[in-house]
Amino acid sequence: MDTAQLFFPAIALAPAVLMLGVAALAGIAPASTPALWRSFQVLSATALVMTGLCAWAGPAGLLLPPAFQASALGLALAVLVQLLGTVIGKFSSRYLQGEHGQRRYVAAMATVLAAVHLLLMADHWLVLIASWAVVGMALQRLLCFYPDRAFALLAAHKKRIADRIADVLLVAAAALAWAEVGSGSLSALWAHVAREGLSFNLHLSAVTLVLAVILRTALLPVHGWLIQVMEAPTPVSALLHAGVVNLGGFVLIRFAPLLEQAAPARGLLLLFGLIAAVLAGMVMLTRISIKVRLAWSTVAQMGFMLLECALGLYTLAALHLIGHSLYKAHAFLSASSIVRTTRLQAMHSVSTPSALNLALAPALAMATVLSIQSVAAADSWPWWWSALMGLAWAPLLWLPAAPDGTASRAWQVVSGLLMVAGLTAVALLAHALPLGIRDTPHHASGVVALLGMAALYLCLAVLQRTPRALTSWRRWSYAGFYLDEAYTRLALALWPARWTHTSFHGAAATPGAPAPLANIRR
């Protein structure tokens, strides 16, 4: 065995060990807070270098313990998560200056990064379940960083309920698969599925797995906690939206061999993913708060990602996961700049697109996607996905109804088409990357998804032309169709909790005086 074969196995799990070391240092070491943050930065950067070396070596160059296995996608995401964790940690050290509880924050954040790294390398049900549970428990401490904020405590309570139910479902999925295969190894499960197909137990295992992922990714109707965690510090929102909530997409891609033969499980993904993408997209159109709109955007994007997995487009789901992580990290860490830009845009007069423009924009976008796809001559995705992407990117080609010069309008069209072409090229590039993912498109489900996205575009077009035409609908949409209210009432009825009464209603009450969580009103 040469030096490389000895070296890379030693560092494959070292990033997780280093992050756990940071958590232990924050819990027991007497170092000052600035020194603790410096230690976090040094060890996090070291973990990033090690993760990069593992990705460079590739799955074939790593020898891992039996319960772990590296994949090209898992290594790429490990680099991404550690990079985001390092950047968010640096941002947090400045953002939280003067705040109490920074040691607790560092310990929880380091634990999240360590558990995510282990989850990305998991090749056994027990490792998968344990690491995902640890991610949720450590994140709870970050969400409750400000213990006097009632909505933060409410959100954490609802997330805790969803996580525990998801844990039970994952255990059930593991028990069913383990009993059928005779091993908890995921690799053994893939081999069994390829050799013998799916029995009733494995179908049921796939369904319970999908339900657990739906709960973990905050799809409707259990999405409310993801909206209300805006009460947590901004870097926590960045970590949650850019990394943690995306783990469901990775798990589905990892379990693609099982899902491809489990039609009922894919049907659930199609149903919940499409509903989340359409309804959350509609709610985004009516919300005003920038951070709340970003949160609803995450719900819609998670629905879209799970929809891609339901349709068998796993490569695009992986690209979506990476792109969403980078975008949301930048969006939350630069939230103040986005707010300033939005306010400046609001000061300008609003000019809606013409009806002809709203009708032609999807056709031009679809034609551009199909043209780039044909020129590339690549085996990428079916026609209905090109049409769906054309609908999603059509707003890039919208023009104001009031003419502002032929040259200016022509340049707007050209720039919009260039953006559509660039996005298509990036999507085609993802298919050329050696991520070890095999797509198996499901055409009937794809047509259903296309019709759903067409309905969303139609609503958007109607709102652009006649905002008052859907007044009653806007009221429901602004309220999130009251789905979270129903879930909150059910959650508090079945699992009541208490919160610390603070200045939520004005002057602070007696410290430590409890009150029912159900007393919170929106």
Side-chain angles (χ1 to χ4, degrees):
M1 185 178 292
D2 58 24
T3 305
Q5 288 177 313
L6 290 172
F7 177 65
F8 285 116
I11 69 170
L13 298 179
V17 175
L18 286 175
M19 291 296 96
L20 289 175
V22 173
L25 186 67
I28 62 177
S32 64
T33 299
L36 180 61
W37 277 116
R38 286 193 295 270
S39 299
F40 176 89
Q41 288 299 313
V42 171
L43 293 178
S44 182
T46 304
L48 176 60
V49 172
M50 290 182 172
T51 309
L53 288 173
C54 291
W56 174 73
L62 300 176
L63 297 177
L64 291 167
F68 297 90
Q69 185 183 69
S71 64
L73 177 61
L75 291 173
L77 293 181
V79 174
L80 175 64
V81 169
Q82 193 61 47
L83 173 63
L84 293 177
T86 303
V87 173
I88 293 171
K90 181 64 175 178
F91 182 92
S92 300
S93 65
R94 299 194 305 268
Y95 185 92
L96 297 175
Q97 282 184 3
E99 295 278 4
H100 296 291
Q102 291 186 55
R103 300 179 71 86
R104 172 169 46 90
Y105 181 99
V106 171
M109 184 176 179
T111 303
V112 168
L113 294 175
V116 169
H117 189 87
L118 294 177
L119 187 149
L120 295 175
M121 302 292 174
D123 190 45
H124 197 282
W125 279 105
L126 294 181
V127 177
L128 175 69
I129 294 170
S131 57
W132 216 351
V134 171
V135 169
M137 289 185 288
L139 190 62
Q140 288 285 131
R141 299 178 65 85
L142 294 176
L143 298 181
C144 297
F145 181 77
Y146 297 118
D148 58 339
R149 296 187 177 182
F151 278 124
L153 299 181
L154 175 61
H157 177 64
K158 292 195 293 185
K159 184 183 186 303
R160 186 184 302 110
I161 294 172
D163 284 354
R164 297 295 76 80
I165 297 175
D167 290 340
V168 172
L169 290 169
L170 279 175
V171 170
L176 290 166
W178 202 325
E180 185 71 24
V181 178
S183 170
S185 168
L186 300 184
S187 295
L189 174 60
W190 313 150
H192 179 90
V193 169
R195 184 175 61 252
E196 301 185 21
L198 262 62
S199 63
F200 176 78
N201 282 347
L202 289 182
H203 272 287
L204 193 56
S205 176
V207 168
T208 52
L209 172 71
V210 164
L211 291 174
V213 170
I214 289 171
L215 289 170
R216 289 283 191 177
T217 50
L219 291 195
L220 279 68
V222 296
H223 63 287
W225 66 265
L226 189 63
I227 310 301
Q228 291 161 349
V229 294
M230 295 300 102
E231 295 283 339
T234 295
V236 174
S237 298
L239 180 66
L240 172 63
H241 290 258
V244 174
V245 79
N246 295 284
L247 291 175
F250 169 77
V251 170
L252 291 178
I253 296 171
R254 186 85 170 89
F255 278 81
L258 179 66
L259 294 176
E260 282 311 301
Q261 299 192 40
R266 291 200 315 273
L268 277 177
L269 279 178
L270 177 67
L271 176 65
F272 280 90
L274 186 59
I275 289 175
V278 173
L279 293 187
M282 290 180 177
V283 175
M284 277 181 59
L285 304 176
T286 56
R287 301 314 290 259
I288 300 172
S289 169
I290 301 300
K291 289 184 70 176
V292 172
R293 289 188 66 177
L294 286 174
W296 276 104
S297 168
T298 296
V299 177
Q301 295 301 320
M302 291 303 100
F304 208 75
M305 187 188 306
L306 267 59
L307 179 63
E308 290 165 330
C309 293
L311 300 178
L313 304 177
Y314 299 104
T315 304
L316 288 175
L319 174 64
H320 197 155
L321 193 161
I322 295 171
H324 180 262
S325 296
L326 293 172
Y327 166 70
K328 279 299 165 65
H330 174 267
F332 276 102
L333 297 184
S334 60
S336 59
S337 300
I338 294 177
V339 170
R340 182 167 57 252
T341 302
T342 303
R343 287 177 176 174
L344 289 175
Q345 292 175 348
M347 295 174 66
H348 298 283
S349 60
V350 179
S351 183
T352 60
S354 64
L356 180 62
N357 183 209
L358 290 171
L360 290 179
L364 286 174
M366 292 178 194
T368 303
V369 174
L370 290 170
S371 299
I372 299 295
Q373 190 179 5
S374 62
V375 169
D379 184 16
S380 49
W381 53 77
W383 66 268
W384 42 264
W385 191 257
S386 296
L388 193 148
M389 289 196 297
L391 286 171
W393 295 336
L396 296 173
L397 303 177
W398 286 352
L399 296 173
D404 54 354
T406 304
S408 176
R409 293 168 66 82
W411 170 245
Q412 291 180 51
V413 173
V414 171
S415 61
L417 290 175
L418 288 175
M419 291 180 68
V420 173
L423 291 169
T424 306
V426 170
L428 289 171
L429 178 62
H431 279 266
L433 296 176
L435 295 177
I437 303 174
R438 185 173 66 89
D439 291 342
T440 53
H442 303 285
H443 299 287
S445 300
V447 174
V448 173
L450 176 60
L451 292 175
M453 296 307 294
L456 176 60
Y457 182 83
L458 180 61
C459 289
L460 182 59
V462 171
L463 284 176
Q464 289 293 318
R465 291 299 302 163
T466 55
R468 296 184 179 275
L470 300 175
T471 303
S472 177
W473 169 83
R474 286 175 67 93
R475 183 167 59 251
W476 280 77
S477 178
Y478 183 83
F481 302 98
Y482 298 100
L483 293 173
D484 180 49
E485 281 71 11
Y487 170 69
T488 302
R489 291 175 185 274
L490 178 63
L492 293 177
L494 297 179
W495 294 281
R498 305 177 77 84
W499 58 293
T500 302
H501 199 46
T502 63
S503 57
F504 182 69
H505 295 291
T510 304
L517 191 58
N519 286 347
I520 299 176
R521 293 289 183 266
R522 296 209 168 187

